[in-house]
Amino acid sequence: MLQDIADGIQKGLKDKDFDGSLKFDCGDDGVIVLVDNSATTNDRETDCTIRISRENLTKLLTGKLNPVTGVALGKLKISGNMGVAMKLGQLLG
């Protein structure tokens, strides 16, 4: 469930600063939006959108899917501000 993933991201954001807004679009499963150092499942416009399956999002967040490899294999698609997407690596690291 995406709310559980959003809650986990929210805990991870606790001591970190994320500038910008980013959306994980998981299609029919819903969205997770990162904005103002919070994670929510409420959809809104963002600086960057990453289209990814819920399964691959879980792999990305747990380090089992490298973002560059994911893009190369078509497991995730990035649109919008690439600078915001690159900041995601700092949060995951």
Side-chain angles (χ1 to χ4, degrees):
M1 180 179 215
L2 285 185
Q3 185 60 53
D4 294 336
I5 296 172
D7 291 344
I9 293 171
Q10 182 66 48
K11 288 178 188 171
L13 289 172
K14 182 180 170 192
D15 296 323
K16 298 181 180 178
D17 188 34
F18 183 71
D19 184 32
S21 60
L22 183 139
K23 179 188 327 185
F24 292 108
D25 183 346
C26 298
D28 291 339
D29 287 325
V31 300
I32 296 176
V33 175
L34 307 180
V35 65
D36 299 328
N37 269 18
S38 66
T40 178
T41 56
N42 297 325
D43 198 4
R44 64 176 275 186
E45 288 295 316
T46 57
D47 299 328
C48 179
T49 298
I50 298 176
R51 286 177 180 72
I52 188 170
S53 69
R54 183 178 50 84
E55 178 183 340
N56 285 329
L57 175 59
T58 300
K59 290 178 182 177
L60 179 72
L61 296 174
T62 58
K64 295 178 182 169
L65 175 63
N66 178 291
V68 175
T69 303
V71 170
L73 296 174
K75 294 186 177 199
L76 59 105
K77 293 179 172 46
I78 302 170
S79 60
N81 186 329
M82 292 298 283
V84 173
M86 293 177 85
K87 291 177 190 176
L88 181 63
Q90 298 169 356
L91 289 179
L92 298 177

